[in-house]
Amino acid sequence: MGALMTLDLPADSPLLGLPWIITFGPLGDLDEWEPVVCGPYERPHALALAEAVVAEEQLMAVVEPLLPALSADEIRSEIAAGQVAAEDEARQVEGADLYGDFEDVIDEELDAAADEAGHGEPAEPPDEAEVRAGFTRIAALLTAK
């Protein structure tokens, strides 16, 4: 079994409505090959497809939003926001009590997703027709921006 990583987002996050990509790569340092990037997908499809692949393979899957930026300035703004978030997280880690609350290390989103998907059972991956319908919705979303 492999590993799946994704963002821990609140239920009202605007990122949930964006297209999502999956990056598959080696799980350990022993394997060396170029990662494979797939998508864009709607988030539920991306998560289900990633779960289906890593359930059977020793791979790492990273599911993340695809930010449809229209200019270099928008990209710079997203980079700056990511850097600020990383600095804030680093400050939180530095300020954490060494023997503090263990809830800080639990990935709550994965726990919640496991609960929604039948208590830890992987979600059924979408069929080709569902993925194609998602592509159509994503195309409409990207062209409307």
Side-chain angles (χ1 to χ4, degrees):
M1 180 176 207
L4 173 74
M5 296 176 58
T6 191
L7 297 175
D8 184 17
L9 298 171
D12 62 348
S13 173
L15 294 178
L16 295 173
L18 291 176
W20 288 67
I21 59 171
I22 311 166
T23 304
F24 294 99
L27 186 58
D29 293 334
L30 298 177
D31 289 336
E32 260 192 55
W33 45 275
E34 291 296 317
V36 175
V37 179
C38 302
Y41 304 103
E42 293 175 311
R43 187 171 191 265
H45 290 169
L47 289 171
L49 288 168
E51 284 179 4
V53 172
V54 301
E56 299 174 8
E57 303 284 337
Q58 287 292 321
L59 301 172
M60 163 107 36
V62 178
V63 178
E64 59 191 333
L66 177 65
L67 302 174
L70 297 175
S71 70
D73 286 338
E74 281 186 56
I75 294 169
R76 287 183 190 102
S77 175
E78 291 297 331
I79 291 169
Q83 291 168 332
V84 167
E87 290 170 3
D88 289 347
E89 186 174 336
R91 276 194 288 279
Q92 281 183 328
V93 168
E94 287 175 9
D97 181 9
L98 181 59
Y99 300 103
D101 191 356
F102 288 104
E103 289 183 24
D104 291 341
V105 298
I106 297 173
D107 190 346
E108 295 169 2
E109 181 173 312
L110 290 178
D111 289 344
D115 289 343
E116 292 173 13
H119 302 287
E121 296 182 21
E124 187 68 29
D127 63 28
E128 185 177 328
E130 292 172 312
V131 171
R132 288 186 184 280
F135 286 164
T136 301
R137 290 186 293 270
I138 289 167
L141 173 73
L142 292 174
T143 56
K145 183 172 180 180

